[in-house]
């Protein structure tokens, strides 16, 4: 019962966070310009942008480290390149009007370097859109006090620990954990707090910062929108939009 309750909170949280991120990306590209999809997977966001703002293929570029997903994207005609977001981006300065990374930052070994690179490749006035979990939540603090690993924090290196509920997992039951593989997809490495991410983006030169929080657990869904506006600092997921 408890897990089902938190799964319903999680679903609503992710739907709202991704919905806002999608609107911000579309608004950033409404008047044209190129975009860079970081952690592009199979090129899903190209299809989404084509549906919402009739975005042309030639103005989209994705970068993805998983060769299998790169091959799937390219087979669909999506221009996704294989690359490592922990390293310098293989693009010239001031190329893109929008750079976005949705549920990506927490999987990087060097997320601060990535944000510096995003700043470099953005045009003046271009926007960065980030969706990532927040480590500084009431829910996380409670789970740590109970001796458990929070699902938004760094994952252990054992699938068996995931199965024995040492981690309070609220994501989809269809998600297959791969923590013991050489190249795990779902492991969280560095998880920022709201205040620290906001401060870091400001420190590297971004302006007009807008931060949004989604999922202030354990409050029920019907009051979430009110509490999220009052206290975005402790929400489960955060969306930041920053302008160069």
């Amino acid at each position: 019962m408890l897990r089902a309750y938190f799964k319903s909170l999680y679903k609503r949280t992710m739907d709202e966070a991704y919905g806002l991120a999608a609107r911000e990306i579309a608004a950033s590209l409404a008047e044209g310009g190129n975009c860079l999809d970081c952690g592009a997977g199979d090129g899903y966001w190209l299809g989404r942008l084509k549906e919402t703002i009739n975005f042309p293929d030639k103005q989209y570029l994705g970068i993805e480290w998983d060769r299998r997903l790169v091959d799937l994207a390219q087979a669909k005609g999506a221009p996704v390149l294989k690359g490592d977001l922990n390293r310098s981006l293989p693009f010239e300065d001031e190329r893109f009007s929008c750079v976005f990374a949705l549920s990506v930052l927490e999987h990087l070994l060097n997320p601060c370097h990535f944000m510096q690179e995003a700043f470099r490749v953005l045009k003046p006035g271009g926007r960065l859109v980030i969706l990532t979990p927040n480590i500084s939540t009431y829910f996380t603090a409670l789970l740590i006090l109970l001796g458990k690993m929070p699902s938004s924090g760094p994952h252990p290196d054992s699938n068996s620990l995931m199965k024995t509920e040492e981690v309070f997992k609220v994501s989809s039951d269809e998600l297959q954990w791969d923590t013991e593989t050489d190249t795990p997809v779902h492991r969280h490495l560095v998880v920022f707090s709201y205040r620290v991410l906001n401060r870091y983006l400001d420190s590297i030169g971004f302006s007009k910062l807008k931060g949004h929080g989604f999922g202030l657990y354990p409050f029920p869904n019907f009051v979430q929108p009110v509490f999220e506006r009052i206290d975005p600092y402790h929400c489960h997921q955060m969306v930041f939009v920053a302008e160069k």
Side-chain angles (χ1 to χ4, degrees), residues 18 25 35-43 45-46 49 60-65 79-81 83-91 96 98-108 114-115 117-119 121-122 127-131:
Y18 271 96
I25 293 165
C35 76
L36 178 62
D37 180 359
C38 299
D42 65 357
W45 282 99
L46 174 58
L49 287 168
Y60 171 94
L61 191 59
I63 186 166
E64 168 62 45
W65 71 272
V80 174
L81 308 176
D84 184 353
L85 295 174
N86 293 295
R87 300 180 181 276
S88 296
L89 294 173
F91 310 111
F96 300 100
C98 180
V99 174
F100 60 95
L102 310 185
S103 295
V104 170
L105 202 66
E106 64 274 19
H107 300 287
L108 301 181
F114 165 72
M115 287 184 278
E117 282 292 285
F119 185 86
V121 301
L122 276 169
R127 297 207 294 174
L128 172 68
V129 180
I130 290 175
L131 188 159

